[in-house]
Amino acid sequence: MRECSLKLSGNLHQLCQQWYCNLTLEGQYTTTDNRLLYPLVFCRECGQDYYVVRYDADKHIILPQLPTALDISPDDADIPKVILPSMNLELWDTSDEDRLPDSWFSETKKKGRVAKKDFVRFIPRKLQILPNGKVTSSLLQGTICWFIPKPFLTCLNCGVLHDKKRNEFAKLSRLSSEGRSTATTLLCLSTTSRLKQVFTGEKAKAAKILSFTDNRQDASLQAGHFNDFVQTSFLRAALLGAIQAKGQLTHSELASKDFREQKITIKEFLAGPTPLHSLDEETIEDILEQMLSELMR
């Protein structure tokens, strides 16, 4: 048995330099040789990482920007806060504009697909950035990044769409922005899944995590979070299995197909601290339908 203590605080920072990775949780913006470290945020849909920066077009420099400033209107609108995907050369290319939302473009007879006036500035722009933050025009120097102005409207990796009214925190997550219960649940799930891949037979069945706390309220909160997570996972996995099996489901079929895909009996579904024996399958399906509606809002 191994004892592990985890602590995450502050923001994750990374150096903008190809073929060289420098990650730190320390609250610093510079490292050796005047190289800049940029805070990282992550797409809440797929986890793609982005730099949070401030682009001074007049001085041709990219400066680090606190992620918390994404939801604050800048005093100087001429120097916008922007987001740059970190170093993934295959993430985007100029020819990938066809992947951008059709609502950003209009079809013309002469020029074909043309960006609308309101969305021109949101089309990713290629920049060559030196480790010290300077933007260079030389193709032989610097790291290729793609300039995306705030607000963050679409992820270049998964293509999820956002509207301009939604705040940036709901779109992009920092490393330490999630709650302690959520982080604990995901860490435990990841650890046990990995243990079951490493071990086989009885050792795989015995793979567990033991947690100790001197606070009854914290333990109760975490236990409730685990239960909600397991319940949600069961519902979503069963729904996915039902859709894969049939290909298409109507609203009236959701609850019944989900219940059958879970492969549990009515008795098992009703089991708990205070067992419910008076509910029939139709009532259970009504309960599941309500739960599924909450999940898919």
Side-chain angles (χ1 to χ4, degrees):
M1 182 168 58
R2 177 175 295 178
E3 182 180 350
C4 181
S5 176
L6 293 169
K7 179 181 179 182
L8 289 179
S9 60
N11 301 306
L12 184 65
H13 297 73
Q14 185 180 23
L15 186 70
C16 182
Q17 186 174 358
Q18 192 176 347
W19 316 124
Y20 185 84
C21 182
N22 185 349
L23 291 169
T24 178
L25 282 168
E26 299 298 328
Q28 62 187 74
Y29 288 139
T30 59
T31 183
T32 56
D33 301 325
N34 292 322
R35 294 177 298 175
L36 297 181
L37 292 164
Y38 298 95
L40 283 173
V41 291
F42 306 89
C43 171
R44 288 187 179 271
E45 191 72 20
C46 68
Q48 173 61 44
D49 47 325
Y50 292 87
Y51 295 125
V52 182
V53 303
R54 195 175 187 213
Y55 180 29
D56 190 331
D58 295 330
K59 297 180 180 179
H60 304 289
I61 190 169
I62 297 286
L63 298 171
Q65 182 68 55
L66 277 174
T68 52
L70 284 173
D71 283 320
I72 301 174
S73 298
D75 296 329
D76 41 355
D78 295 332
I79 310 177
K81 297 175 179 65
V82 300
I83 303 162
L84 295 167
S86 62
M87 294 160 291
N88 184 345
L89 300 182
E90 298 179 357
L91 179 65
W92 193 260
D93 192 71
T94 308
S95 60
D96 291 328
E97 282 191 14
D98 290 339
R99 290 166 48 192
L100 294 173
D102 290 334
S103 57
W104 291 17
F105 298 87
S106 57
E107 292 291 337
T108 63
K109 292 183 179 179
K110 293 184 178 180
K111 297 182 180 180
R113 194 169 186 254
V114 178
K116 295 178 181 178
K117 183 179 179 181
D118 292 341
F119 294 99
V120 169
R121 74 186 189 94
F122 294 107
I123 294 176
R125 202 172 93 206
K126 188 176 180 180
L127 294 176
Q128 298 279 141
I129 303 174
L130 299 174
N132 62 4
K134 289 288 186 180
V135 178
T136 178
S137 57
S138 173
L139 298 178
L140 302 177
Q141 293 180 301
T143 299
I144 297 175
C145 287
W146 295 90
F147 172 96
I148 309 173
K150 173 194 170 184
F152 184 68
L153 295 185
T154 183
C155 176
L156 300 188
N157 183 47
C158 66
V160 64
L161 296 179
H162 301 288
D163 57 50
K164 295 180 180 179
K165 296 180 180 178
R166 196 178 186 191
N167 64 55
E168 303 301 290
F169 181 79
K171 311 170 191 175
L172 298 162
S173 171
R174 302 193 302 277
L175 183 64
S176 58
S177 63
E178 295 304 322
R180 184 171 53 186
S181 295
T182 302
T184 302
T185 298
L186 292 177
L187 284 170
C188 289
L189 175 66
S190 177
T191 303
T192 51
S193 298
R194 180 60 180 160
L195 286 172
K196 293 183 184 298
Q197 292 174 6
V198 173
F199 298 114
T200 57
E202 292 299 321
K203 287 187 176 181
K205 293 180 181 179
K208 296 179 177 66
I209 290 179
L210 293 178
S211 176
F212 300 92
T213 178
D214 58 356
N215 189 311
R216 184 181 298 177
Q217 187 175 355
D218 284 351
S220 177
L221 175 65
Q222 188 62 55
H225 199 279
F226 276 133
N227 289 335
D228 288 343
F229 184 85
V230 170
Q231 183 183 70
T232 301
S233 300
F234 262 95
L235 286 172
R236 288 180 174 173
L239 182 60
L240 177 61
I243 293 173
Q244 290 175 335
K246 191 172 180 181
Q248 184 176 352
L249 294 176
T250 62
H251 185 270
S252 60
E253 295 177 303
L254 286 178
S256 60
K257 295 295 183 183
D258 188 281
F259 180 65
R260 286 163 178 73
E261 193 65 30
Q262 289 188 50
K263 297 180 175 60
I264 58 174
T265 64
I266 296 178
K267 185 177 180 180
E268 289 172 329
F269 183 86
L270 297 177
T274 54
L276 303 172
H277 301 293
S278 60
L279 300 184
D280 56 17
E281 187 170 336
E282 184 178 350
T283 306
I284 291 174
E285 289 180 3
D286 289 340
I287 296 173
L288 281 174
E289 184 176 341
Q290 181 64 34
M291 294 167 70
L292 288 168
S293 298
E294 289 292 324
L295 284 177
M296 295 185 294
R297 281 194 308 173

